[in-house]
Amino acid sequence: MHLPFGWYLRFVSVSHYGDLADQKERADFMIVVTGASGQLGQLVVRELLQSVPASALVAAVRNPQSVAGFASLGVQVRQMDYAQPSTLEAAFTGAEKVLLISGSEVGSRVPQHANVIHACKAVGVKLLAYTSLLHADVSPLPLAAEHHQTEILLQDSGVPHVVLRHGWYTENYLASIPAALGYGVVMGCAGEGRIASATRADYAAADAAVFLADDQAGKVYELAGDEAYTLTEFADELSRQAHKPVCYQNMSQADYSQALEGAGFPPPFAMMLAESDTGAAQGGLYDDSRTLSRLIGCPTTPLSTSIQATLLA
């Protein structure tokens, strides 16, 4: 019987770490998830809890109170801040593997990620996994620059590492649904660029599978959804499900950024979103390798399913 690769990874992970669960005295059996209080980080921790004992997991966060729920399950909680190097070695001490979820402070991420890489090297981490951006080395999205620079730092560090290049989160567009229904318009500047997004839960499942599998050092994964769509198609699907006319209005990057500012987004964030849409128009958010679905052993969440869940919420 042929089994999907994702199932194989989960089997290997459960088998390997299930045996280790009876060997808690092993000092090197510890895996750390940074940014564990974030939207992606929480999902990754929950995925890992399906395969490893809570006592072997560390949720590394700025504010320990933000992950009190994980602590109640037996997950270790350690305080750390990417921008404060003095907190990092203590957070990673004893770790076999560390998942570096990319920081949220655009413009400051490279030095912050460098701090994490240096700390992992100092304490002898055996595998550092990093959540990068889809095709970061050739992406037209300005956001890719910090990710690619981080990848170069990883290569130069000598720390064994694996790169998890995430495509766009479907949630990035789901957040626009209330306004789109209110005005009957989905705005953007992505043209007819195809977007192969996936949900955070899909990416978290893949991250956990790779993180737990053996022999991952040196690999780069391009992760994206199985289904690609244009924003016109997004608007059409929203219109169909909401039983309300919704169309896509394509704008210039400058006009879209200004519209976002008018909606209350801070100017730097508005510009980042508009630049990302322009990158999508140039193919920067498209990938058809289906690597993500192979890793998780099932198709990625369809756009129609995500829209339906949002409308029912």
Side-chain angles (χ1 to χ4, degrees):
M1 179 175 65
H2 176 70
L3 295 172
F5 181 57
W7 186 94
Y8 170 75
L9 280 177
R10 185 172 292 277
F11 173 77
V12 170
S13 301
V14 171
S15 300
H16 177 61
Y17 282 94
D19 292 339
L20 291 180
D22 296 325
Q23 304 177 37
K24 294 180 182 178
E25 70 276 5
R26 274 189 52 178
D28 64 343
F29 174 49
M30 184 185 299
I31 54 182
V32 177
V33 177
T34 70
S37 61
Q39 292 173 302
L40 178 66
Q42 291 187 52
L43 292 170
V44 173
V45 172
R46 289 171 187 155
E47 282 287 334
L48 292 171
L49 283 170
Q50 297 181 43
S51 302
V52 302
S55 59
L57 284 175
V58 174
V61 294
R62 288 181 180 176
N63 176 15
Q65 288 301 116
S66 65
V67 289
F70 288 145
S72 69
L73 297 175
V75 175
Q76 300 180 58
V77 176
R78 295 182 180 179
Q79 195 277 332
M80 57 135 276
D81 188 325
Y82 294 159
Q84 297 181 14
S86 61
T87 67
L88 298 174
E89 286 191 28
F92 302 150
T93 295
E96 180 178 354
K97 298 181 179 181
V98 172
L99 174 61
L100 168 55
I101 293 179
S102 58
S104 59
E105 297 177 19
V106 177
S108 300
R109 291 193 285 192
V110 175
Q112 291 181 358
H113 296 165
N115 291 338
V116 173
I117 294 168
H118 294 155
C120 285
K121 183 171 185 176
V123 302
V125 168
K126 296 178 181 178
L127 183 70
L128 174 57
Y130 172 62
T131 60
S132 186
L133 182 68
L134 186 67
H135 301 300
D137 54 339
V138 295
S139 174
L141 276 71
L143 276 178
E146 288 183 305
H147 290 293
H148 189 218
Q149 290 173 50
T150 299
E151 291 183 12
I152 292 172
L153 290 176
L154 283 166
Q155 293 166 10
D156 293 343
S157 71
V159 177
H161 63 275
V162 56
V163 178
L164 304 160
R165 288 178 170 170
H166 287 196
W168 225 228
Y169 298 133
T170 304
E171 289 88 344
N172 292 347
Y173 293 117
L174 298 179
S176 70
I177 285 180
L181 293 177
Y183 294 99
V185 175
V186 171
M187 294 187 298
C189 57
E192 292 303 305
R194 302 199 69 78
I195 300 159
S197 71
T199 64
R200 284 191 181 90
D202 290 332
Y203 288 111
D207 293 344
V210 171
F211 197 44
L212 292 177
D214 294 325
D215 301 321
Q216 294 300 302
K219 296 185 178 181
V220 177
Y221 291 93
E222 303 288 357
L223 304 176
D226 292 341
E227 172 191 13
Y229 54 88
T230 65
L231 290 186
T232 296
E233 291 168 343
F234 174 87
D236 289 346
E237 179 61 25
L238 175 58
S239 180
R240 184 187 71 81
Q241 291 201 35
H243 305 291
K244 184 174 183 178
V246 179
C247 66
Y248 172 56
Q249 179 182 350
N250 195 56
M251 312 169 74
S252 69
Q253 178 177 299
D255 286 345
Y256 182 41
S257 179
Q258 187 174 19
L260 290 170
E261 287 185 41
F265 288 91
F269 188 59
M271 179 55 70
M272 182 270 289
L273 292 175
E275 290 175 340
S276 297
D277 252 25
T278 298
Q282 299 168 1
L285 296 179
Y286 177 75
D287 181 87
D288 62 357
S289 67
R290 294 183 178 248
T291 301
L292 175 52
S293 57
R294 286 200 299 273
L295 286 172
I296 64 178
C298 62
T300 57
T301 307
L303 175 64
S304 59
T305 300
S306 295
I307 289 177
Q308 181 182 47
T310 301
L311 293 175
L312 292 175

